Each structure stands twice: as structure tokens, then as C-alpha cells.
Amino acid sequence: MSDEKMVQTAINTIRTLSIDAVQQAKSGHPGTPMALAPLVYTIWNRVMRFDPQDPIWPNRDRFVLSNGHASMLLWSVLHLTKTQAVDADYETLGHPSVSLDDIRHFRQLESRAPGHPEYHWVSGVETTTGPLGQGVATSVGMGIAQKWLANRYNRPSFEIFDYNIYAICGDGCMMEGVASEAASLAAHLELDNLCWIYDNNHITIEGSTRIAFTEDVEARFLAYGWNVLRVGDANDLERIEHAVDIFRKTKERPTFIVLDSHIGYGSPHKQDTAAAHGEPLGDDEVRLTKRSYGWPEDAKFLVPDGVYEHFAAGVGARGAKARQQWNELFAAYRAKYPDLATEIEQMQRRELPAGWDRNLPVFPADPKGIAGRDASAKALNVLAQNIPWFLGGSADLGPSNKTTLTYEGAGDFEAGSPGGKNLHFGIREHAMAATVNGMSLSKLRPFGATFFIFSDYARPAIRLSALMELPTIFVFTHDAMGDGEDGPTHQPVEQLASLRAIPGLVTLRPGDANEVVEAYRYIVQLRHEPAVLALSRQPLPTLDRSKYAAASGVARGAYVLADAPGGNPEVILIASGSEVSLAIEAHEQLLAEGIRSRVVSMPSWDIFDHQTQEYRDSVLPPKVTGRVAVEQASTFGWERYVGTSGRIIGMKTFGASAPLKELQRKFGFEPEHLVAAAKEQLGKK
Ligand SMILES: Cc1ncc(C[n+]2csc(CCOP(=O)(O)OP(=O)(O)O)c2C)c(N)n1
Ligand SMILES: [Mg+2]
């Protein structure tokens, strides 16, 4: 077979595997894989430095399929390149990531060819995509990470990190706001390691983009400051390669390639129609389409002779060589810079360096106390110094969140100085969260910050960090009514409940400065779970830990902070955050009146729910049914800890604009109110 014929055969293999898988599953999206097979072929087989034998090699080029519905593109190419599976301990398993059988079972339970690309489920997937816009936004975090890693670790003659990131996106990604936020940030940061390729096919689900999307996308990206290129024919491999070449030569600007394509390419009746987007072609149309490709019409899941070898000779050989050269380079680097090499290795395995918790502060008892955000600032500054690759920033609220790293040499991450540890995300919460995900996927330890209320603006990406099992950290301050005069627009009510509902997300609302530190101590050790910290704006009393239990109880989610003398309580007060000291006040009053109360500090439902039944029963003894929960947030869900007969003091409405003291009175967050509720639980007035 001639070279040219082989190339066409390889491309048509991607197309027909996609068509057959969707047809077999009776669900999926065939049209875009049919159109973009030449692009994916070119990027993978001619451009990318990626070794299928080791899909987690640190200096590999990244490939992000932001239009995740076209997942068959990825399953086809991962299969055809024989990309190997890797487990959660970063060990190669010795079998392919995506088998032909997986593709035959596309979208079925347990198949490694699920509906959309899922990081952590299929090796070779760089990030989970499907919610449109997320992939491209996440790729900006990957771009930031590459710049930071290169800045810290590269040395003369040692280009340890010099990879590029390729992200493919469609009209949907271009319409989503998060992509715009991220594109603006990427150009500001001059991420010339980033190449987005826009599948300009004028089709979305409802039909032609004429009905909803008529802007000049190229002009928009030019205005952001991107290098904008155009390839007028998605089947023209040379033009695609040429455009990518220009990308690789372009400095100080990310590249945006507009690729004109025909969705459902080759299908006589469905090409260029929305029908090709999200439904099987149908048996007859499958035949006609295969005929148009010169493919055997009745063959299914056919990988013709020579196709695997063709990919092995392309990306396989190039990737193996690149990785081998890198390994040699890294061995020499390790000899010359052993400490830096160790850092890289620890980071890659999500381990912490020795002494990571050295100098974490301990706060003395203080009735006036310190704000959650201020305690957080102290912890962040220590952690960022102890863990070189711990960094982050805020969405323009650094001075309020107290997340700006202020120690000597922390520095700002900016285009000309990508080694700084303070990122400035601008007022782009959604892109910030997606970017933090991208940085975490690149093995940095990032945090992002904003007001707790605006976690809503970041939520889709927070959800994805949980789905991907990434140890990202979200620092949210102004966690409740502490915002006082700012009023209900700024006062979170339902955010805690809604974040607690995200599976695998660790949500923590610490009750005093020492609980803040313990919360960080816990979070930093997580390797596969994201965490949200809800921190107070106002000072909270620092509890006297010689009188009350140690703050290390945070690591168990909830703990007995104060108890009736000798234990055996008759009523339990459960609180989080700013309401912990309130519960303590009420507790002291109850004790003085001879009522045996207990205070449980419960910074994290998620962590507590993972403790043994025995421990949970020791904190909340089932026989003690007199219970009051107090939290400046929606009451939603607290029944699980107070039972149907318990009392929940929380928010059932939005807040209001007034000084905090008045709000506490209006909404019942005062010790007398708790005391009365506790007595009511015991049938006492
Ligand atoms: C945030 C989000 N909204 C909606 C969807 C549902 N959806 C999936 S694909 C699609 C149309 C995408 O059009 P385009 O990106 O142009 O893809 P093409 O059909 O051209 O491949 C929509 C609305 C989604 N996946 N994510
Ligand atoms: Mg489209």
C-alpha cells in the first residue's frame, strides 16, 4: 500500500470505528469524529510527542478533547496507538487502555470507552470533558503549569519541561462563557504552549449556528490577543500540519486555529446536518458512508492490516524516542540537581516533601480571636514555603480572601515571570476553577479562592475536580452572614448544602483558628479528593484547647469539643464554623443550669461520614435524641444528624443587609436561642 493510501486508511479506520461503535450502542455522536478524524490523525501521528507505552510520562504533549461528545475520536486513537493502561498508583498494567472490545461496548457499563472522556477511568484521557467549554478552560491550567514547571526546573541544556497542549473544541465550547474567560486569561499570560483548534462546522444540536451564534469568532480571539490561523479544509493534512508548525514557532501568544469542517463527512444524506451530531447514522446510511470511503460495506469494527503498525511507526516511534531521550536527560539532571529531581518525582506521585507541615501555626486561646481567613493566610504562607509546587490565587479577591502569599520571594505568576506563586485569575471564577483543575492534572498543588457565595460561579469545574478525583483546594471566605452590610447577594445560604451534595468533594467549615490549621493539615494530605474550605470573614474566638478537646479532631470530621462532666450528655449541640463558639457559650450556660450538654464541632460532614460506626456513635450516641444543630446556612440536610425530633437553627430564607450583630439577632444565632432550643429538646422551659 502506498503511503498516502495508508494514511487515508488510518483516517478512515478512526471514522468507521466511530460509526460502528455509535451504531452498535444505538447512541452517541458519529458526525464529529467523521469530520475530525484527519485532524486527530495529524495531531497524534505527525505532531504530538506522546509515548503510548507510558501515557503519563511527565513531558508528553497534552491532548484535550473539549468537545467531549466526540469521544470516539479519542477511543479510536487510544486503541489504534495501543496506549497502555496505568493504575492509580501510576504503574503500567501491561494491557491496552482501550481494547477493541471496549469499543464494541462503547457507552456500556465497565467499558473503557464511556460516553465522554473520563480522566481516572481511561488512561490517556488528560481531562474529563463533556460539559462544553470545560476542556479548553482546563487546558489553560495545563499551559500555566507547563510555564511554571519550566521556570522552576529547566536549567541550561536541561529542558525538562517543554511540552505543548492541544485542545480541540466546537461551537458549543465557543459559546460557553467559561471558554471566553479562559481565553482572555490565556492571552494575558502569553501561553504560547497552548493551541486550540476550533471545529467550525456551523452545526449544533438544534441545527445551523445561524439560529444562535453569528459572532465573528476569529475577531474575538484576535481581540483577546491570540495568534489566529485558519485552515479551510478539515481534510487537508498538510495545511493542518502547517498551521501547527506556525503554532510551534509563535512566541508569547496562544494559537487559535479555525478549522472548517463538515460534520458527518462522507455520509450522503447526513453530512452538514444536525442529524449527524448525536444519533447513529442507521444501517443503510452506514453502508452508503462506508462505500463513499471505499470501505468494505459489511465490515464492522475493522482495523485493516497495517493500521496498528502505521501508528506504531508514527506517534509510537516518535514518542518512544522522545521519552527515551528525556529519560536520559532526566538521569543526567538527577545527577546534577538531585534535589530538584526529587521534587519532580514526588510531585508526579502526588507525594509531599519531608517537612511539609513544619512551622504550621498553633494559636493560643483568645476570646477575641482571629478570622478564619486570617488563620488561613498564615497556614497558606507556611505550606507554600514548605511545598515548592503549592501555589494559587484568587479571582481578584486576594486582599479579602487573604490568600495572597506574602512571604519573601513568593512572587506573582505573570507572563514575563512564570515562576511566581501568586496567580491573578481576574474576575473569572469559573475559568479559575477549571484552570486549577488543569494545574492539578499537571501535578502541581493549586488552590483557587473567592467569596463563598461565588462558588456558584465555579461550581461546574468544582464538580469536575471531584469527578476526576483531583486534590484541588478551593478557599472560600466570607462563608456566611459575616458579610453583614453587603446583604443577601453576598451571603451564602444554600452553598454548603449544595457542595456537600457533590460526591467525593471534602467540604470543611472550621470553627476557630486552630481548626483552620488542622483543616489544611488534613486537606494537604489528600491525593485524590478536592476540598472546599468555608472560612469566616470576621474574627472567631480561639478556643482554649486546654479546656476543650484538641483541634486535631478535625481530621475525623466531627468530634466532641466539650462535654458534660464525666460524659453521658442528655442533649447535644452540633455546630460548624462561626457557630462553634456560639454553641460553647450556650453549653456553658446549660451546664450552669445543671443541664448535661455536649458540644460537637462538625467542620465536615463528608469526613465524619467516612468514620467507623463506632466512632460516629461515640460522638453522637444514638440514645441521646435531644439534639440541636446550628449553622449559618440552609437547614437542608441537618436532619441526618439531629433526627426528625431534633432542632435545626439555620437559614430558611435569604439573609439581609445589616450589621452582623443585628443579623445574628434577627436570624436567631444567639446563645439564648440555643439554650432555649436545648431545653425544649428536654421538655424543659
Ligand atoms: C455545558 C453543556 N451544555 C450542553 C451540552 C449538551 N450538548 C452536547 S453537544 C451539544 C452541541 C454541541 O455543538 P458543537 O460544539 O458545535 O458540536 P458539534 O455538533 O459540531 O460536534 C450540546 C448542546 C453539554 N454537553 N454541555
Ligand atoms: Mg458544531
Side-chain angles (χ1 to χ4, degrees), residues 29 31-33 36 66-70 116 129-134 169-176 198-206 209 261 263 273-274 276-278:
H29 305 77
T32 303
L36 298 187
S66 195
N67 44 355
H69 55 277
H116 293 84
T129 52
L132 297 169
Q134 288 293 331
C169 51
D171 299 301
C173 291
M174 286 302 102
M175 289 189 228
E176 290 291 353
Y198 165 37
D199 175 28
N200 181 35
N201 65 9
H202 299 286
I203 291 289
T204 63
I205 289 179
E206 292 187 5
T209 49
S261 85
I263 194 167
T273 72
H277 163 88

Side-chain angles (χ1 to χ4, degrees), residues 354-685:
W356 64 270
D357 60 351
R358 159 182 80 222
N359 302 331
L360 273 174
V362 176
F363 295 90
D366 175 4
K368 263 182 47 215
I370 163 172
R373 56 178 172 157
D374 288 313
S376 161
K378 294 205 158 59
L380 281 174
N381 273 282
V382 168
L383 290 168
Q385 289 176 79
N386 291 349
I387 308 168
W389 54 95
F390 186 100
L391 73 172
S394 170
D396 198 48
L397 287 170
S400 291
N401 300 139
K402 306 284 174 86
T403 44
T404 308
L405 301 170
T406 50
Y407 66 89
E408 168 123 32
D412 285 338
F413 182 100
E414 277 294 354
S417 59
K421 300 244 264 183
N422 285 298
L423 284 120
H424 298 286
F425 293 106
I427 306 145
R428 305 179 180 101
E429 295 82 6
H430 197 176
M432 171 178 73
T435 298
V436 162
N437 286 347
M439 292 166 67
S440 179
L441 287 159
S442 315
K443 304 294 174 71
L444 298 181
R445 202 63 205 281
F447 66 86
T450 181
F451 288 158
F452 193 31
I453 191 71
F454 303 130
S455 62
D456 283 351
Y457 275 49
R459 190 181 160 87
I462 297 174
R463 179 177 193 272
L464 278 190
S465 68
L467 183 56
M468 289 193 269
E469 301 181 11
L470 298 178
T472 49
I473 300 171
F474 298 99
V475 183
F476 296 137
T477 67
H478 300 57
D479 68 333
M481 228 72 76
D483 233 0
E485 295 85 342
D486 272 339
T489 54
H490 282 53
Q491 292 157 350
V493 172
E494 74 283 18
Q495 283 62 31
L496 261 179
S498 95
L499 290 167
R500 283 172 178 152
I502 297 181
L505 176 68
V506 175
T507 302
L508 278 147
R509 185 169 181 255
D512 77 346
N514 288 307
E515 282 200 6
V516 170
V517 173
E518 293 309 309
Y520 273 110
R521 192 191 304 279
Y522 181 87
I523 286 172
V524 166
Q525 295 177 75
L526 296 171
R527 293 172 75 219
H528 299 296
E529 290 150 301
V532 159
L533 270 173
L535 301 171
S536 77
R537 169 204 189 213
Q538 74 279 19
L540 306 179
T542 307
L543 299 171
D544 180 353
R545 298 287 168 171
S546 64
K547 181 167 179 202
Y548 304 115
S552 54
V554 168
R556 312 198 75 170
Y559 63 104
V560 179
L561 177 64
D563 212 355
N568 198 19
E570 53 187 328
V571 63
I572 306 176
L573 310 177
I574 315 170
S576 86
S578 43
E579 287 64 65
V580 171
S581 50
L582 183 69
I584 286 285
E585 265 187 79
H587 168 77
E588 299 294 351
Q589 280 186 36
L590 289 165
L591 286 192
E593 294 183 40
I595 293 172
R596 304 180 61 80
S597 84
R598 163 180 287 190
V599 176
V600 169
S601 173
M602 188 178 273
S604 175
W605 290 13
D606 317 275
I607 302 174
F608 184 63
D609 289 350
H610 282 97
Q611 305 303 310
T612 61
Q613 185 74 48
E614 198 189 349
Y615 177 76
R616 283 182 284 147
D617 287 350
S618 75
V619 175
L620 300 174
K623 69 174 200 305
V624 187
T625 56
R627 298 182 184 191
V628 181
V630 56
E631 188 174 66
Q632 264 184 33
S634 169
T635 56
F636 189 91
W638 271 105
E639 302 79 6
R640 68 159 78 180
Y641 301 113
V642 300
T644 46
S645 62
R647 252 309 276 291
I648 308 165
I649 300 173
M651 297 298 292
K652 294 201 167 76
T653 62
F654 292 115
S657 171
L660 176 60
K661 273 259 165 287
E662 284 177 43
L663 294 173
Q664 285 168 333
R665 192 168 324 123
K666 175 174 166 61
F667 292 105
F669 296 103
E670 292 187 306
E672 306 76 59
H673 199 69
L674 259 88
V675 168
K679 289 184 181 169
E680 207 180 277
Q681 284 288 297
L682 299 172
K684 300 179 182 172
K685 280 265 151 81

Side-chain angles (χ1 to χ4, degrees), residues 4-282:
E4 208 173 312
K5 184 115 192 286
M6 193 65 236
V7 170
Q8 268 319 304
T9 304
I11 290 169
N12 286 333
T13 308
I14 297 175
R15 286 179 167 137
T16 53
L17 283 177
S18 304
I19 291 170
D20 289 340
V22 173
Q23 192 64 32
Q24 172 95 2
K26 300 193 179 63
S27 102
H29 305 77
T32 303
M34 292 157 74
L36 298 187
L39 170 70
V40 168
Y41 170 85
T42 307
I43 298 282
W44 276 71
N45 217 35
R46 294 191 178 173
V47 176
M48 278 216 307
R49 282 178 309 172
F50 174 88
D51 185 357
Q53 293 301 314
D54 184 1
I56 57 171
W57 163 49
N59 196 37
R60 68 191 181 281
D61 286 337
R62 271 45 170 194
F63 177 82
V64 173
L65 191 70
S66 195
N67 44 355
H69 55 277
S71 61
M72 270 312 302
L73 279 172
L74 200 45
W75 308 146
S76 303
V77 80
L78 288 175
H79 173 67
L80 295 172
T81 55
K82 298 197 176 172
T83 295
Q84 293 295 296
V86 177
D87 67 11
D89 292 322
Y90 314 109
E91 302 298 336
T92 308
L93 293 173
H95 62 77
S97 165
V98 178
S99 69
L100 201 52
D101 214 45
D102 288 319
I103 290 178
R104 283 199 187 92
H105 293 90
F106 177 49
R107 293 181 157 243
Q108 309 307 305
L109 207 58
E110 299 300 325
S111 166
R112 301 282 161 172
H116 293 84
E118 290 184 49
Y119 179 77
H120 242 277
W121 177 243
V122 192
S123 309
V125 174
E126 298 285 6
T127 181
T128 295
T129 52
L132 297 169
Q134 288 293 331
V136 279
T138 303
S139 75
V140 173
M142 297 178 180
I144 288 172
Q146 190 278 331
K147 289 284 178 192
W148 192 89
L149 290 166
N151 185 280
R152 180 168 179 88
Y153 297 108
N154 288 1
R155 288 290 181 277
S157 311
F158 289 100
E159 295 284 311
I160 299 298
F161 293 104
D162 64 353
Y163 58 87
N164 290 317
I165 301 111
Y166 299 91
I168 299 187
C169 51
D171 299 301
C173 291
M174 286 302 102
M175 289 189 228
E176 290 291 353
V178 67
S180 302
E181 291 178 23
S184 165
L185 181 62
H188 170 77
L189 293 174
E190 301 180 3
L191 300 180
D192 51 20
N193 51 10
L194 190 60
C195 180
W196 289 5
I197 302 160
Y198 165 37
D199 175 28
N200 181 35
N201 65 9
H202 299 286
I203 291 289
T204 63
I205 289 179
E206 292 187 5
S208 162
T209 49
R210 273 198 311 274
I211 63 174
F213 190 55
T214 44
E215 68 180 37
D216 184 339
V217 180
E218 291 177 29
R220 178 176 136 207
F221 274 75
L222 280 169
Y224 287 142
W226 286 58
N227 168 38
V228 176
L229 306 173
R230 185 158 196 143
V231 173
D233 175 4
N235 287 314
D236 190 332
L237 310 193
E238 272 62 44
R239 286 292 164 99
I240 293 172
E241 228 185 320
H242 182 60
V244 172
D245 259 357
I246 296 175
F247 152 64
R248 290 194 289 190
K249 289 187 186 123
T250 301
K251 293 292 160 231
E252 295 173 12
R253 279 190 292 169
T255 290
F256 186 71
I257 302 175
V258 181
L259 181 73
D260 297 338
S261 85
H262 296 280
I263 194 167
Y265 176 80
S267 159
H269 301 103
K270 299 204 166 168
Q271 179 177 315
D272 296 319
T273 72
H277 163 88
E279 45 191 82
L281 295 180

